[in-house]
Amino acid sequence: MIRYMNNGPVITVADPLRKGEYKSYPNPEWQGMPEIISFTDFLRWNYTAEYGRYIRDQFYEQVLPLPYGISYEAGLDNVTIVSGRYDRIDSCAFIMYVICDVSFDCEGIIVHQDYCVSGYFRTYGSSLFCESVDIYNGERIRCHNPLDEYLIPVMSKRDFDSIASEILDRFYTKEIGYVYKIDGRTLATAMGYNILFKRLSLNGKIKSKLIFDRKDVTIYDQNGVSVSMIIPENTILVDISLFESDKLDNVIIHECVHAYLHYVFYYAQSLYRKGMGKELPEFQDYFYSSSQQECIRWIETQANSIASHIQMPRDITTDVIIDFIDQYDDDMSFDDYRELIDYVKFKFGVSRYAAKKRIIELGWKEVRGVYAYCTTGYVEDHEVEENLPLDCTYTVPLKCIARIFGTSQDFASLVCSKRYIYIDGHMCRNDDKYIIRDSGANFGLTYYARHHMAECCVNFKRVYGKQEYSYTYGELNKEELKAIVEHTLNMEQKNKLKQALIEQDTERLRLANNATVNPLGEAVKFHMKRCKVTVEALAERSGLGISTIEKMRYGKKVKLETILAFSVALELEKSFMYDLMNKANVCFDTRNPAHNMYLAILELIPNANVFQINDILKEEGFTPWTQERESKTNKKTA
């Protein structure tokens, strides 16, 4: 039967030249039995013969509906499973509509016809795979609660509220006594699950696991030694670090959503493994296709999102927001919206980010520019016009600026034009109308700019990377998520950058044209003499070691970062910096993300010193230019 599995060693596809016929090809991606299979593949693998027998019996009893031109005198040649549609009944059962291709032999002419075989599947009691059959000509099969081929519920964001209400209405009645803050342990108990606190991973990444059936699970003791422990069925394992954390309720509710929506997924995978006669290793060791990866991502997306909707139900949260806003007769200020976000956060026991996101989902887009978090802190609050798409933002991290700088010539030209500068997490027009300046340093956006962002700031489309999740047989895991936030520098870091006074060197000197066998060394000595700095003073200004500076003075090979640190420390004009790079035989490579970051910093934050640039690089995940004297210099600066 494996020959019919399209993720197996052989791919079977419709013949484009002969309607109703199929061609088979070796699967170039086949790497052994997959860790996860679709339910349709499970049926192909195990039940093709049963579906064939049922359709043949219907044919021989002359009750199988036949298409025009085919009689019961024809021979029934072959039956294959083509696809499946699945309609969820509850957390443990679903209706099946299995599409089968039936080939008839009409006096030597093979004619194909699709049939839809209806049945139902239950994880408890008996199932009936073949209840009825009818001709299928491609018409839409209407499912009330559709499941995909992996038995994951198919739903849009609009459905999250209804699923959250279903779970609360069924398992968390008002008689429990909690009005706003949903207690995760109470909900889990009502659903029949126990909570155990253990250390689940060495790095703390795995926050919880949902165990459906009794199994051995690897945990870690207080010394980090792995221990195998038998965990009973219907258990939610939670990492011990969350025992008194404000994230505990969200993590437990996340697993409760898994239990409510995704049990049939787990059950189908357990049947698959039982058919193999053994537990397969974790997915990393086996073929794991993109569709299977999407399956796991979608499972986790549903659990993450619906958990938030359970903690902040639509009607109750809307009432809380309206009651708060009704206190204000006039338009609300940024501070008022901050207070609203914090009020919802406190009221429902959720994170600030979750509260803000939920307020926006419920229609109050005014909070989009409030509490905009970037890299290490919040940027100044600003207005976001209502028609700006939800996937767009004015606030971006410098790392993203650098990435775009290296990939878009138009954007690079915009940056180099000096018409825009990077400030407070925004690409803003370089104009006194929008920028607060003092002593030649840029300090932030003006009041006018923060209320007219569309006029002065570039907006960017926010593209989220796909979070990778693992799946281990018998477990659904909640791994630590990276917050989907906007990033920038905090006020302290910004002020450190902007406090540096511009030391303008009006002289436009050029290096002597005298021929030399050591052009780099001569240029280094020339600039140090011109700027009146000693080796020791240069070391203090650049963070470079004495030995590194001496290497430069003798024209020995140095890295690009060393040339940049030297140039910034002496505040050399750009033409001199590029001259030094040329003499050192180093250059920028726009395919290198770190080099793109260097270019962005040099263009957008021209007054930053070496140590400030080192701080930015470390915050953005890059190696600093200099490290040899950094700690000593930082202590002196403090």
Side-chain angles (χ1 to χ4, degrees):
M1 301 304 175
I2 293 179
R3 63 184 182 175
Y4 297 120
M5 295 176 63
N6 276 344
N7 63 350
V10 176
I11 300 174
T12 302
V13 298
D15 188 333
L17 301 180
R18 297 180 180 87
K19 186 176 181 181
E21 296 188 21
Y22 295 85
K23 295 180 70 68
S24 296
Y25 304 91
N27 186 351
E29 296 184 348
W30 176 249
Q31 302 175 22
M33 292 305 298
E35 168 70 7
I36 299 171
I37 64 169
S38 70
F39 190 70
T40 302
D41 282 342
F42 175 76
L43 293 178
R44 288 190 185 114
W45 188 12
N46 295 279
Y47 291 94
T48 294
E50 281 74 2
Y51 278 92
R53 188 179 305 113
Y54 173 74
I55 291 176
R56 290 177 191 277
D57 289 344
Q58 296 285 301
F59 179 74
Y60 293 139
E61 294 172 9
Q62 298 191 0
V63 294
L64 180 71
L66 296 178
Y68 177 78
I70 298 179
S71 69
Y72 289 110
E73 301 298 323
L76 198 155
D77 184 55
N78 193 25
V79 176
T80 60
I81 294 175
V82 177
S83 62
R85 308 287 189 274
Y86 311 105
D87 195 0
R88 185 173 183 267
I89 299 173
D90 56 34
S91 60
C92 299
F94 55 91
I95 299 170
M96 301 186 297
Y97 303 98
V98 179
I99 311 303
C100 296
D101 173 74
V102 180
S103 58
F104 297 94
D105 187 344
C106 302
E107 298 180 352
I109 300 175
I110 302 300
V111 179
H112 290 262
Q113 175 61 50
D114 284 346
Y115 283 85
C116 179
V117 181
S118 302
Y120 60 86
F121 182 93
R122 296 190 297 191
T123 61
Y124 56 91
S126 60
S127 300
L128 183 58
F129 281 29
C130 304
E131 186 176 30
S132 64
V133 61
D134 203 352
I135 291 175
Y136 179 72
N137 290 317
E139 59 270 18
R140 178 186 176 188
I141 297 175
R142 189 174 297 277
C143 295
H144 297 287
N145 299 292
L147 302 170
D148 69 10
E149 62 175 350
Y150 292 94
L151 304 183
I152 309 303
V154 177
M155 61 179 70
S156 67
K157 292 181 180 179
R158 295 188 299 270
D159 299 317
F160 291 166
D161 279 313
S162 61
I163 297 296
S165 297
E166 285 180 22
I167 294 174
L168 289 173
D169 292 344
R170 183 173 175 183
F171 300 106
Y172 205 91
T173 59
K174 293 181 180 179
E175 287 74 17
I176 292 178
Y178 298 91
V179 179
Y180 294 110
K181 293 183 181 180
I182 304 297
D183 184 78
R185 280 173 278 198
T186 301
L187 177 62
T189 301
M191 296 180 70
Y193 288 85
N194 299 314
I195 309 294
L196 283 180
F197 291 90
K198 302 293 179 181
R199 186 178 180 185
L200 303 184
S201 60
L202 288 174
N203 59 8
K205 185 178 181 182
I206 298 179
K207 297 304 181 185
S208 59
K209 294 184 176 183
L210 176 59
I211 309 300
F212 285 114
D213 292 324
R214 183 176 182 269
K215 67 168 295 187
D216 284 338
V217 175
T218 299
I219 60 173
Y220 299 87
D221 63 18
Q222 60 184 1
N223 298 318
V225 178
S226 62
V227 179
S228 182
M229 180 179 182
I230 295 179
I231 304 298
E233 65 181 7
N234 297 338
T235 297
I236 296 176
L237 283 174
V238 180
D239 192 79
I240 191 67
S241 64
L242 299 177
F243 184 72
E244 294 183 349
S245 169
D246 55 3
K247 299 178 181 178
L248 177 61
D249 287 328
N250 178 265
V251 167
I252 294 176
I253 294 170
H254 172 102
E255 301 299 345
C256 291
V257 175
H258 276 321
Y260 187 73
L261 289 182
H262 305 137
Y263 178 66
V264 289
F265 160 80
Y266 157 77
Y267 191 81
Q269 302 308 314
S270 68
L271 292 178
Y272 165 56
R273 286 170 177 75
K274 289 175 183 176
M276 292 292 295
K278 61 180 179 180
E279 289 189 11
L280 295 181
E282 293 188 16
F283 74 90
Q284 291 92 339
D285 301 325
Y286 273 75
F287 175 62
Y288 199 60
S289 69
S290 59
S291 60
Q292 293 160 8
Q293 292 171 346
E294 289 297 329
C295 157
I296 299 300
R297 290 192 191 109
W298 191 223
I299 284 177
E300 292 302 325
T301 297
Q302 290 179 349
N304 291 332
S305 300
I306 295 173
S308 176
H309 285 61
I310 289 174
Q311 290 186 279
M312 293 175 283
R314 171 177 287 275
D315 292 342
I316 296 176
T317 308
T318 300
D319 290 342
V320 166
I321 295 171
I322 291 174
D323 289 344
F324 182 91
I325 292 176
D326 283 346
Q327 302 175 51
Y328 296 87
D329 297 328
D330 302 324
D331 290 339
M332 295 174 63
S333 66
F334 290 140
D335 289 339
D336 299 332
Y337 283 122
R338 283 194 169 217
E339 189 177 344
L340 169 61
I341 293 171
D342 287 335
Y343 182 69
V344 172
K345 170 184 178 292
F346 168 78
K347 199 77 170 176
F348 295 98
V350 297
S351 69
R352 179 175 285 159
Y353 174 75
K356 175 182 172 180
K357 182 180 177 183
R358 190 62 170 142
I359 293 169
I360 295 171
E361 288 175 346
L362 294 175
W364 282 272
K365 297 182 181 179
E366 297 88 341
V367 303
R368 290 177 62 186
V370 177
Y371 275 139
Y373 188 88
C374 295
T375 302
T376 56
Y378 296 107
V379 304
E380 289 184 279
D381 297 331
H382 54 274
E383 285 186 1
V384 177
E385 66 274 17
E386 188 172 353
N387 61 355
L388 186 72
L390 288 175
D391 61 350
C392 290
T393 180
Y394 293 112
T395 310
V396 290
L398 191 56
K399 182 183 290 186
C400 290
I401 294 289
R403 189 181 305 123
I404 302 170
F405 186 96
T407 56
S408 171
Q409 184 60 48
D410 291 339
F411 183 75
S413 299
L414 179 69
V415 171
C416 296
S417 71
K418 305 298 183 183
R419 289 187 293 124
Y420 283 81
I421 62 173
Y422 182 75
I423 186 166
D424 193 33
H426 312 296
M427 281 290 293
C428 183
R429 287 176 61 181
N430 192 5
D431 189 294
D432 289 342
K433 183 178 180 181
Y434 309 116
I435 306 297
I436 299 174
R437 308 181 197 274
D438 186 16
S439 301
N442 303 316
F443 280 88
L445 301 182
T446 63
Y447 176 88
Y448 180 85
R450 291 193 293 125
H451 288 268
H452 298 82
M453 298 293 285
E455 179 181 321
C456 61
C457 290
V458 178
N459 70 70
F460 297 85
K461 184 177 178 64
R462 188 186 290 115
V463 178
Y464 298 125
K466 293 181 178 178
Q467 178 74 28
E468 297 293 341
Y469 299 93
S470 65
Y471 169 69
T472 306
Y473 170 53
E475 303 172 8
L476 291 178
N477 305 332
K478 177 173 177 59
E479 299 179 1
E480 186 174 26
L481 300 178
K482 295 178 180 177
I484 301 176
V485 296
E486 301 124 21
H487 301 273
T488 191
L489 308 175
N490 62 25
M491 287 301 296
E492 180 182 356
Q493 293 158 338
K494 286 187 302 180
N495 288 336
K496 283 170 59 179
L497 292 173
K498 296 163 188 173
Q499 290 295 340
L501 295 177
I502 302 173
E503 297 177 16
Q504 297 288 346
D505 189 347
T506 58
E507 295 182 351
R508 303 294 297 172
L509 300 175
R510 296 189 177 185
L511 289 169
N513 293 324
N514 298 340
T516 175
V517 295
N518 190 351
L520 175 62
E522 292 298 325
V524 168
K525 294 174 184 176
F526 171 82
H527 288 303
M528 290 180 63
K529 182 178 180 181
R530 178 169 72 95
C531 296
K532 300 181 178 64
V533 295
T534 63
V535 171
E536 291 74 15
L538 176 59
E540 293 293 335
R541 290 181 64 85
S542 67
L544 294 169
I546 300 293
S547 60
T548 302
I549 296 173
E550 290 298 338
K551 282 176 60 178
M552 294 179 66
R553 287 169 59 84
Y554 286 105
K556 295 183 179 180
K557 184 176 178 61
V558 291
K559 300 185 298 182
L560 169 65
E561 289 77 7
T562 302
I563 295 295
L564 296 179
F566 178 88
S567 301
V568 169
L570 296 188
E571 299 175 12
L572 300 184
E573 295 83 347
K574 189 177 294 185
S575 59
F576 287 138
M577 181 187 76
Y578 280 101
D579 177 70
L580 282 171
M581 289 171 56
N582 183 54
K583 287 180 169 61
N585 198 27
V586 295
C587 62
F588 292 111
D589 181 359
T590 55
R591 296 169 298 180
N592 187 327
H595 290 195
N596 290 331
M597 176 62 76
Y598 304 162
L599 286 165
I601 292 173
L602 293 170
E603 291 291 346
L604 295 169
I605 316 177
N607 303 325
N609 62 44
V610 174
F611 303 105
Q612 292 164 338
I613 292 174
N614 283 342
D615 287 341
I616 298 173
L617 292 172
K618 287 188 290 186
E619 289 158 7
E620 298 294 345
F622 296 96
T623 302
W625 285 348
T626 60
Q627 297 176 317
E628 297 169 78
R629 300 174 58 83
E630 191 169 356
S631 354
K632 180 179 177 182
T633 306
N634 284 342
K635 286 180 183 177
K636 288 189 175 183
T637 304

